[in-house]
Amino acid sequence: MQPICDYHMHTPLCGHAVGEPEQYAAQAIKLDLKEIGFSDHLPLLSHEDPKISMNRSQLPLYHKMIENVKKNHDPILRVRIGIEADYLEGYEEQTRNLLASYPYDYVIGSVHFIKDWGFDDPAQRQGWTGKDIDQVYHDYFDLLRKSAQSELFDIMGHVDLVKKFGHRPQEDMSGEVQKTAEVFRDAGVAIEINTAGLRKPVGEMYPAPWMLKVYRKAGVLLTFGSDAHDPKDVGRDFEEALALAQAAGYKKYILFKNRKIEDEQKI
Ligand code: ZN
Ligand code: FE
Ligand code: FE
Ligand code: ZN
């Protein structure tokens, strides 16, 4: 058993992914997925970095590309158009305006930056040197809560990305996660099980199994994403992801259209 849809995948426009969107769709069909959603990185508003995201002038092309994939596969594969937007403190209104300029089926909100440090960017990994890891975790969870409260997003992306390179806190973070789960529930945002963590130094999906339980108990809804930056990673490790959801007590996951919950699937 696997989820029927993968909501987190990229395109080469972001500068760090390979393969044409058609190849992502082909892999999804091969795996018998019924629905996919592209969620490439929204142009970064704080600064331009062609290795992190497309620039604003490429957004129309992104939408056109995905519309084409959608047309080509209707009705065998439902194709949704999403986006992965950074939460950048101080840029909330600009982000809101940019998101409003195109129609989306869902917006994934991701924290990749603490102030101007891209803590998960391999090119900025040296930024971890000498840092108080517990403090980085506290800062990260604080930003996750602020991002949910910004009302910019529908799904929160990889909600313990801070562990990507294997940095582990000494302190017990269960209080942080509990608080975060309550804020997510009250803000009405969902989370994702993101399988990409398995392919990173930490070797574990996002979020960790114990965190997923906290989110489920708080009543936070669920989606699934591979965070594929390569067609071969579409739907990757999805059976394990579904088993993880089941073990956390989830009975269903949700599907989006036009930024609303469109349907749910039983687990
Ligand atoms: Zn990426
Ligand atoms: Fe991300
Ligand atoms: Fe992503
Ligand atoms: Zn991501």
Side-chain angles (χ1 to χ4, degrees):
M1 284 281 286
Q2 65 175 1
I4 64 157
C5 66
D6 184 341
Y7 269 3
H8 197 150
M9 53 187 71
H10 291 268
T11 82
L13 289 176
C14 70
H16 60 273
V18 296
E20 290 312 309
E22 273 299 335
Q23 295 175 282
Y24 288 68
Q27 180 68 8
I29 291 167
K30 193 172 142 196
L31 294 176
D32 212 23
L33 297 182
K34 303 293 176 234
E35 181 167 319
I36 57 170
F38 287 87
S39 55
D40 208 357
H41 299 279
L42 186 76
L44 257 188
L45 288 163
S46 48
H47 61 289
E48 268 193 31
D49 185 339
K51 285 270 159 216
I52 288 187
S53 66
M54 66 183 104
N55 62 46
R56 275 160 175 263
S57 69
Q58 292 172 303
L59 253 185
L61 176 61
Y62 174 63
H63 285 265
K64 211 169 150 188
M65 272 175 17
I66 309 307
E67 283 302 329
N68 277 333
V69 179
K70 195 170 173 168
K71 263 186 236 139
N72 292 344
H73 297 286
D74 183 58
I76 307 291
L77 180 70
R78 291 189 299 269
V79 177
R80 299 293 185 229
I81 179 149
I83 198 94
E84 179 178 15
D86 280 89
Y87 178 67
L88 301 163
E89 238 185 324
Y91 290 87
E92 289 87 346
E93 287 321 301
Q94 287 184 55
T95 306
R96 197 178 314 279
N97 292 336
L98 188 54
L99 288 172
S101 59
Y102 286 93
Y104 291 104
D105 289 311
Y106 58 86
V107 177
I108 298 179
S110 292
V111 174
H112 301 110
F113 290 91
I114 296 174
K115 299 212 174 79
D116 55 3
W117 175 39
F119 62 84
D120 84 309
D121 181 354
Q124 299 180 55
R125 197 172 166 169
Q126 77 294 339
W128 280 93
T129 311
K131 283 260 183 356
D132 174 348
I133 294 176
D134 288 349
Q135 191 55 51
V136 176
Y137 270 71
H138 289 305
D139 292 347
Y140 175 75
F141 283 112
D142 191 47
L143 287 169
L144 273 186
R145 290 189 288 269
K146 283 182 176 148
S147 57
Q149 286 166 333
S150 72
E151 301 186 330
L152 289 166
F153 313 120
D154 306 307
I155 302 166
M156 306 311 300
H158 40 58
V159 293
D160 60 350
L161 179 68
V162 66
K163 72 182 177 185
K164 175 174 170 175
F165 296 126
H167 301 91
R168 295 292 193 178
Q170 303 234 290
E171 260 175 61
D172 173 17
M173 290 292 155
S174 54
E176 286 281 11
V177 174
Q178 180 65 38
K179 256 202 309 191
T180 304
E182 287 165 15
V183 166
F184 283 12
R185 176 200 55 214
D186 294 346
V189 293
I191 57 167
E192 58 170 6
I193 293 183
N194 181 315
T195 62
L198 286 173
R199 314 189 292 271
K200 299 290 153 43
V202 68
E204 179 183 282
M205 293 190 204
Y206 311 110
W210 71 268
M211 290 186 193
L212 195 62
K213 257 185 213 154
V214 176
Y215 285 105
R216 197 271 302 160
K217 282 187 186 147
V220 177
L221 299 176
L222 186 66
T223 66
F224 290 90
S226 65
D227 214 342
H229 287 70
D230 184 318
K232 73 173 179 3
D233 290 331
V234 171
R236 187 130 169 225
D237 300 307
F238 262 29
E239 292 189 2
E240 201 180 326
L242 195 72
L244 192 70
Q246 219 157 16
Y250 273 101
K251 303 276 187 265
K252 63 174 189 187
Y253 57 98
I254 53 174
L255 303 176
F256 280 89
K257 189 180 181 181
N258 295 327
R259 302 202 65 179
K260 291 203 169 61
I261 297 173
E262 140 102 333
D263 200 3
E264 56 182 53
Q265 292 286 317
K266 283 209 174 78
I267 291 179

